[in-house]
Amino acid sequence: MSTMPTVPTATLTSRRSFLKGAVALGGLAAVPGLAACGSGASSSTTVSFGSNQSDPVPKKAYAAFVKDFEKKSGLSVSVNTVDHETFQNQINNYLQGTPDDVFTWFAGFRMNFFATKGLATPIDDVWKKIGGDFTPALKQSATADDGHQYFIPFDYYPWAVFYKKSLWQKNGYQVPKTFDEYIALAKQMQSDGLEPLGFADKQGWPAMGTFDILNMRLNGYDFHVSLMRGKESWTDKRVKNVFDTWRGTLPYHQQNALGRDWEESAQGMQQDKVGMMLIGMFIGQQFADNLDDLDFFAFPELDPSHGQDSLDAPTDGFMMSKSPRNEDGAKKFLTYLAGTRAEETYLKADASVIGANSNIDTSGYNSLQKKAVDLITSAKNTAQYMDRDTRPDFAQTVMIQALQTFIRNPKDVDGLTKQIEAQKQQIFGA
């Protein structure tokens, strides 16, 4: 494979971003951090657990269900929590070294990537016990190309346009039903002294959400998935239309996005400086003290033939490493994690996601969670998110840089799409 362009250092700090292309292909030696952090503490009575949940809210929630499992099972869990970005960027070396028995990861294409590389253990026997608790779609997201299951879905959340209800009520704003109304609202917010669309891409991944939703709204889910799998040309006029449409909205986005992380934009919304923001429901972690004031709407329709039938709804969960030192204990832990007890314990501490188990007690869901369930279940198609739906080396080394290039200079769409296509051919081989 030809050498790919170097990604600026700033783009490598990503909440969801994967690993550098060379790392994804096993081309780099292990570096200090996650790859050297497998706890090695497994025994017949201990399960080692590698976690990427380093942020305060989910870390506390993980600690709650670990404690519950230990009490219930009589086993001990040795938790190896690593900074989220470090975990993502070093995951390949970690899995090739001495990983923990169980580790946090993501459904769909990303799960399949490591399954096909032989870096995870199939857990079909676990699924025989738990299969009735999940929808066919979630089971499919846990199934690799070889037909075996490798993943336990735990929680998921929608991407949508979030806003602060009290600000909108104060200013008399209404949820837009069309794209024209969406732009008109952005203009009104700008006239009112607000930054209409919160936007931050310092971490590299947030802009992917904007591309995804515009592509699905304009071109449909099937084309979007085909594009992510390397089967469509990035010079296609349909892709150029995505960038052209995006360019038309940029005057209403927060400026200097490449120097801002998503938390800063969320805080701007908290402070009544930002009018709305396309983001995942994890934004609720920034509204922990006033979650009832947060609301959202599905991104408006752009093409009637596709309507609002698709959205990003990433699924997080767990996998078992290739050679677990306590396989029996690991499977007991995974079986527990698949159950309602684990999810309900987690959700008491983190109300910004939805439990994946179909039998979970939703009576304690807040209004945001209930609305999120309705949004996702009413969607005809749900994507996992760009850097989960395409090859990790393409997402990390090509698309982060390309989208940031577009944000800096949105005028040369032809040149940009031509560069993306050339790099896609190098990576996908077609």
Side-chain angles (χ1 to χ4, degrees):
M1 186 179 75
S2 302
T3 303
M4 302 305 299
T6 302
V7 183
T9 302
T11 68
L12 298 180
T13 54
S14 162
R15 186 175 187 273
R16 274 179 200 77
S17 66
F18 206 81
L19 35 139
K20 294 181 182 179
V23 175
L25 299 176
L28 291 183
V31 292
L34 175 63
C37 281
S39 64
S42 296
S43 68
S44 61
T45 58
T46 303
V47 178
S48 59
F49 176 38
S51 169
N52 63 2
Q53 296 292 0
S54 57
D55 293 343
V57 172
K59 184 177 181 180
K60 179 181 178 181
Y62 269 40
F65 71 61
V66 164
K67 182 178 180 180
D68 182 62
F69 171 73
E70 289 178 327
K71 181 179 179 180
K72 181 175 181 289
S73 68
L75 295 172
S76 297
V77 179
S78 175
V79 183
N80 169 30
T81 301
V82 177
D83 170 76
H84 206 287
E85 286 74 37
T86 301
F87 196 102
Q88 314 306 73
N89 293 331
Q90 298 180 14
I91 183 69
N92 194 65
N93 287 321
Y94 165 71
L95 293 179
Q96 292 187 76
T98 55
D100 298 289
D101 297 332
V102 175
F103 62 96
T104 50
W105 203 235
F106 313 112
F109 199 92
R110 280 182 138 187
M111 172 276 303
N112 187 65
F113 184 80
F114 287 127
T116 56
K117 286 169 69 76
L119 295 176
T121 300
I123 51 173
D124 301 48
D125 50 347
V126 174
W127 270 91
K128 287 181 181 179
K129 300 176 183 177
I130 68 169
D133 294 336
F134 295 92
T135 64
L138 281 173
K139 182 176 182 180
Q140 184 59 41
S141 75
T143 304
D145 290 345
D146 62 6
H148 295 290
Q149 287 78 51
Y150 289 84
F151 181 80
I152 298 295
F154 190 71
D155 63 68
Y156 59 100
Y157 52 88
W159 271 65
V161 183
F162 286 80
Y163 63 93
K164 190 176 176 182
K165 289 189 288 187
S166 58
L167 174 65
W168 278 43
Q169 184 175 10
K170 174 184 175 182
N171 290 358
Y173 300 145
Q174 300 294 318
V175 171
K177 296 180 179 179
T178 67
F179 188 71
D180 287 343
E181 289 180 1
Y182 179 67
I183 296 302
L185 175 60
K187 291 180 179 179
Q188 182 60 52
M189 288 178 171
Q190 209 166 52
S191 297
D192 293 340
L194 297 171
E195 294 180 290
L197 304 176
F199 193 50
D201 202 52
K202 182 178 180 180
Q203 293 141 308
W205 54 266
M208 292 178 174
T210 299
F211 181 90
D212 281 359
I213 198 62
L214 290 175
N215 194 25
M216 286 189 279
R217 289 289 183 269
L218 288 166
N219 303 316
Y221 175 80
D222 290 342
F223 178 82
H224 178 71
V225 171
S226 187
L227 182 68
M228 293 300 103
R229 297 299 173 95
K231 297 178 180 179
E232 306 286 349
S233 173
W234 283 81
T235 60
D236 189 298
K237 63 180 181 181
R238 289 172 289 184
V239 178
K240 293 180 181 180
N241 189 28
V242 172
F243 284 110
D244 288 340
T245 303
W246 190 354
R247 181 175 59 215
T249 70
L250 286 177
Y252 312 110
H253 284 65
Q254 278 183 295
Q255 301 303 299
N256 304 313
L258 302 187
R260 182 186 306 108
D261 59 37
W262 74 266
E263 292 92 342
E264 291 179 84
S265 286
Q267 290 158 15
M269 190 187 298
Q270 278 270 35
Q271 298 162 5
D272 292 346
K273 297 177 179 179
V274 171
M276 51 188 168
M277 185 176 181
L278 176 68
I279 195 73
M281 200 169 80
F282 52 82
I283 190 176
Q285 296 174 6
Q286 298 293 312
F287 281 74
D289 295 331
N290 59 333
L291 196 59
D292 290 342
D293 201 18
L294 190 63
D295 204 348
F296 66 84
F297 59 90
F299 195 88
E301 173 186 297
L302 277 165
D303 183 329
S305 63
H306 303 301
Q308 295 175 291
D309 65 4
S310 303
L311 73 157
D312 277 325
T315 304
D316 296 335
F318 311 96
M319 298 176 71
M320 186 165 66
S321 59
K322 60 179 179 178
S323 300
R325 282 154 289 186
N326 184 358
E327 182 169 339
D328 181 64
K331 289 182 177 179
K332 288 180 180 177
F333 188 36
L334 289 169
T335 301
Y336 167 81
L337 292 171
T340 58
R341 179 165 172 164
E343 293 188 1
E344 289 166 5
T345 299
Y346 178 88
L347 291 169
K348 289 178 181 177
D350 182 3
S352 68
V353 294
I354 304 163
N357 189 302
S358 299
N359 299 317
I360 194 169
D361 179 8
T362 61
S363 63
Y365 274 6
N366 57 44
S367 59
L368 203 67
Q369 289 170 309
K370 291 177 181 177
K371 187 173 181 178
V373 170
D374 291 341
L375 177 65
I376 292 174
T377 55
S378 65
K380 182 178 178 181
N381 307 292
T382 55
Q384 283 293 312
Y385 201 76
M386 179 187 287
D387 64 2
R388 302 184 182 198
D389 281 333
T390 191
R391 284 180 56 130
D393 44 353
F394 181 67
Q396 185 72 14
T397 62
V398 179
M399 289 313 300
I400 285 180
Q401 185 181 24
L403 296 182
Q404 291 189 329
T405 296
F406 171 74
I407 293 167
R408 284 192 295 266
N409 176 25
K411 296 180 180 180
D412 187 17
V413 171
D414 287 344
L416 178 67
T417 54
K418 187 179 296 184
Q419 289 178 1
I420 297 173
E421 176 60 21
Q423 294 172 88
K424 183 213 78 175
Q425 291 182 16
Q426 289 177 331
I427 290 177
F428 285 89

